[in-house]
């Protein structure tokens, strides 16, 4: 079945450093979504990318969808302690019926 | 801002007992989902529900699981005979346009099976 892997599993940075998580799907995706889950919280939708090669920015966050629509990345510039959490990518399976979540990258930011 | 609500926030039950987890999706949403997350792991899809029927279910969603929309607002997940490995956080989510679009998650119900 479809698998969505993310690297790294965990990253610990100092506040102000940059952070990137990479997402790779075993199959081509019609779109990719990114969610953030704070410790003890629930997934919160961040953004959706649809087009091949698409790049979207939200303040310090930059999201990219690969040309082959099988990979994506999230880059955070100058991390802040409020960025702490686990970042998941998610994509619908080939039948468009279910959302498959990636393995997640847990980000810890030290002040 | 509208939000998905879930009750209870924490449920402790004995192995073999039935549990019902409840969710109230966002009122104008048409697509409803249940996910589970074992502590420290990824979010796993269980089932999607649209137009009063299951549209897709995962291999996890076996005969012990069922979903229902008993009225115009609630969406429930029933586990008939709980097992230890059912211990997890269960999230309900809803969407206005289907699984290819933004999903709004509830705060979750932590299920502990002893």
């Amino acid at each position: 079945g479809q698998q969505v892997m993310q690297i790294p599993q965990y990253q610990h940075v100092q506040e102000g450093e940059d952070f990137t998580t990479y997402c790779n799907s075993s199959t081509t995706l019609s779109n990719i979504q990114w969610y953030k889950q704070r410790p003890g919280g629930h997934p919160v939708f961040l953004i959706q990318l649809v087009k091949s090669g698409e790049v979207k920015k939200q303040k310090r966050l930059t999201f990219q969808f690969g040309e082959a629509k099988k990979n994506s990345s999230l880059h955070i510039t100058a991390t802040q302690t409020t960025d702490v959490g686990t970042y998941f990518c998610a994509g619908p399976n080939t039948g468009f019926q279910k959302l498959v979540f990636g393995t997640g990258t847990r980000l810890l930011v030290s002040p | 801002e509208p939000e998905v609500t879930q009750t209870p926030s924490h449920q402790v039950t004995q192995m073999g007992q039935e549990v019902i987890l409840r969710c109230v999706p966002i009122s104008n949403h048409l697509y409803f989902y249940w996910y589970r997350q074992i502590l420290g792991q990824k979010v796993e899809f269980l089932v999607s529900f649209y137009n009063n029927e299951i549209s897709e279910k995962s291999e996890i969603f076996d005969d012990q699981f069922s979903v229902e929309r008993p009225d115009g607002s609630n969406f429930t997940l029933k586990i008939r005979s709980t097992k230890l490995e059912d211990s997890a956080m269960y999230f309900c989510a809803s969407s206005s346009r289907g699984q290819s679009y933004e999903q709004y998650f509830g705060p979750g119900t932590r299920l502990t099976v002893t």
Side-chain angles (χ1 to χ4, degrees):
Chain A
Q2 179 188 10
Q3 293 186 19
V4 183
M5 306 296 292
Q6 285 181 251
I7 55 170
Q9 261 188 306
Y10 171 77
Q11 185 146 14
H12 185 180
V13 301
Q14 293 294 122
E15 193 171 24
E17 292 181 338
D18 291 356
F19 160 77
T20 303
T21 171
Y22 299 92
C23 169
N24 289 284
S25 170
S26 58
T27 60
T28 302
L29 301 168
S30 59
N31 69 82
I32 190 88
Q33 301 176 28
W34 283 91
Y35 290 80
K36 177 184 178 181
Q37 186 177 27
R38 292 184 187 276
H42 58 278
V44 174
F45 176 84
L46 294 176
I47 207 159
Q48 181 186 45
L49 304 167
V50 179
K51 298 176 186 173
S52 169
E54 187 171 12
V55 177
K56 285 189 176 181
K57 291 192 176 185
Q58 285 181 350
K59 297 183 181 177
R60 296 177 293 104
L61 277 61
T62 301
F63 304 84
Q64 187 166 16
F65 199 10
E67 293 291 340
K69 301 183 81 172
K70 293 182 73 174
N71 57 71
S72 181
S73 64
L74 158 59
H75 179 81
I76 302 178
T77 303
T79 54
Q80 299 174 358
T81 54
T82 53
D83 295 326
V84 164
T86 301
Y87 292 85
F88 291 98
C89 61
N93 71 341
T94 49
F96 300 99
Q97 289 302 308
K98 74 177 188 183
L99 202 58
V100 178
F101 275 74
T103 48
T105 295
R106 185 174 159 216
L107 173 64
L108 184 61
V109 181
S110 294
Chain B
E1 186 175 321
E3 57 183 22
V4 176
T5 59
Q6 288 186 244
T7 53
S9 56
H10 190 191
Q11 172 101 44
V12 181
T13 189
Q14 288 190 325
M15 198 167 51
Q17 295 296 306
E18 174 184 287
V19 294
I20 297 177
L21 310 183
R22 302 179 192 279
C23 167
V24 179
I26 293 173
S27 62
N28 63 345
H29 285 185
L30 302 175
Y31 300 82
F32 314 116
Y33 317 92
W34 283 101
Y35 294 87
R36 81 170 185 191
Q37 186 177 37
I38 294 170
L39 187 63
Q41 298 186 24
K42 68 176 183 178
V43 178
E44 297 178 289
F45 169 84
L46 290 178
V47 66
S48 58
F49 192 86
Y50 170 70
N51 201 25
N52 283 321
E53 61 183 26
I54 291 173
S55 47
E56 184 161 359
K57 57 185 180 180
S58 73
E59 57 278 4
I60 302 168
F61 194 89
D62 60 21
D63 292 343
Q64 293 300 311
F65 291 87
S66 62
V67 289
E68 196 177 35
R69 188 155 163 81
D71 53 43
S73 60
N74 290 283
F75 180 50
T76 62
L77 173 69
K78 182 194 289 186
I79 309 175
R80 272 181 258 286
S81 177
T82 50
K83 304 172 202 159
L84 293 176
E85 54 265 36
D86 292 328
S87 294
M89 183 71 93
Y90 288 80
F91 292 108
C92 172
S94 70
S95 171
S96 60
R97 294 187 290 168
Q99 286 177 267
S100 288
Y101 299 93
E102 173 180 357
Q103 297 188 20
Y104 292 83
F105 282 74
T109 293
R110 178 166 299 285
L111 177 65
T112 302
V113 182
T114 61

